[in-house]
Amino acid sequence: MKTRMPPHAARPAGSWGPASRLALSRAPKTLADEAYRKVRDDIIAGRLEPGEKLQPDVLKESYGIGLSPLREALARLASDGLAHAEGQRGFHVAPVSVEELLDVADLRCRFSCLALERSIAGGGESWESRIVAAYYQLNKLVEHMRADPATYADDWERRNRAFHAALESACDSPWLLHFCEILYDQSERYRRRFVRYSEIRAEIYEEHKQIMDAALVRDSATACRILDRHIRRAAEAVRGLMIEAGAGDSAAPAAE
């Protein structure tokens, strides 16, 4: 795979965009990075619920991080669509709706399939190795998930994210990866809130191998077709669970 410095790498500390987002996948370099990661993770995991007010004073006590980096983190989360800024009312966790879920799924299909197509066209042996390694780590959890999903759900989500990121990683576009990650964050936020991990269908596990196999033999059409089906099938499952839970098309379900 060709390597080059992203054009945004020279941004000063405290800015954000594709380069800083990729850096956050490693270790946070500033307190604002640390605050962003912690609040982001709690939003995605559902520990901070849709519609919940994000009060800097409360978050300061929860995370042990100062107000200035927290305010910067909240602004970054709002730019990613995980939080909403409401004028003088401050920040709230972004609401959820079936309409947004399906919109996110449609856009994720388009962006992730484009990233996969470009990666298949330009990725080398290191890209292939990343996919195989990520799939191996993900597949190791399948039997554990079937036996004890509550214990392994967090690990599953981390490894699932790593597998999809590996597929997209050779697209040679920091901006495309940036948008793919934002859309993945939103997809995971819906999945973590509504999916019962004990009921993940077998096809979901099988599709991972099918996507990997097609990508490794450079069959872009098949890989993208299966990936598109994979994303849309998961979104439809979440949609059904949202309706079952009474979330439906409401903008912000009441906190439980």
Side-chain angles (χ1 to χ4, degrees):
M1 181 187 75
K2 293 184 294 184
T3 58
R4 59 184 176 87
M5 185 68 69
H8 317 281
R11 292 181 182 226
S15 63
W16 62 91
S20 65
R21 177 173 287 275
L22 293 174
L24 283 173
S25 66
R26 297 185 287 273
K29 294 182 178 179
T30 69
L31 286 175
D33 290 342
E34 182 181 354
Y36 172 87
R37 174 181 282 180
K38 287 182 175 180
V39 182
R40 168 184 168 273
D41 288 351
D42 282 347
I43 290 174
I44 290 173
R47 290 184 287 270
L48 293 169
E49 298 191 354
E52 184 174 341
K53 187 172 178 60
L54 296 169
Q55 303 179 67
D57 289 343
V58 175
L59 298 176
K60 177 183 176 182
E61 295 301 318
S62 298
Y63 301 126
I65 298 175
L67 291 176
S68 180
L70 277 167
R71 290 192 181 101
E72 180 179 337
L74 293 176
R76 292 161 71 171
L77 290 161
S79 74
D80 286 351
L82 291 171
H84 281 184
E86 300 183 11
Q88 298 302 313
R89 296 181 60 199
F91 292 90
H92 293 75
V93 177
V96 294
S97 70
V98 166
E99 181 181 33
E100 182 186 66
L101 166 70
L102 298 180
D103 189 32
V104 166
D106 182 60
L107 289 172
R108 188 177 163 218
C109 286
R110 295 169 188 268
F111 281 85
S112 291
C113 285
L114 176 59
L116 178 56
E117 181 180 6
R118 290 187 178 185
S119 293
I120 289 172
E125 290 184 357
S126 61
W127 170 71
E128 294 176 354
S129 297
R130 285 195 297 274
I131 295 172
V132 172
Y135 174 77
Y136 173 76
Q137 292 297 325
L138 179 62
N139 196 51
K140 282 172 63 176
L141 285 184
V142 170
E143 293 306 319
H144 293 304
M145 281 290 289
R146 288 172 174 159
D148 188 6
T151 298
Y152 291 96
D154 286 346
D155 278 343
W156 170 264
E157 285 292 354
R158 282 191 291 271
R159 297 187 192 194
N160 188 55
R161 176 185 288 266
F163 175 69
H164 283 278
L167 290 167
E168 299 164 354
S169 63
C171 73
D172 200 28
S173 170
W175 277 111
L176 182 54
L177 291 175
H178 173 63
F179 295 131
C180 286
E181 188 167 356
I182 288 175
L183 291 164
Y184 191 97
D185 285 350
Q186 291 289 350
S187 294
E188 184 178 344
R189 181 169 80 104
Y190 276 89
R191 188 165 60 249
R192 299 267 269 189
R193 180 164 182 81
F194 295 103
V195 166
R196 294 184 288 267
Y197 283 82
S198 58
E199 297 179 8
I200 294 178
R201 293 180 297 192
E203 306 96 282
I204 299 296
Y205 301 123
E206 294 163 3
E207 283 170 349
H208 288 137
K209 185 173 189 305
Q210 293 169 2
I211 296 166
M212 178 185 70
D213 288 345
L216 293 178
V217 298
R218 310 296 169 137
D219 185 348
S220 179
T222 298
C224 290
R225 174 175 52 80
I226 298 171
L227 178 60
D228 182 275
R229 183 180 69 203
H230 180 73
I231 294 170
R232 294 185 192 279
R233 189 202 302 271
E236 281 299 319
V238 175
R239 175 180 176 274
L241 291 169
M242 288 181 72
I243 293 171
E244 182 182 314
D249 290 309
S250 60
E256 298 171 350

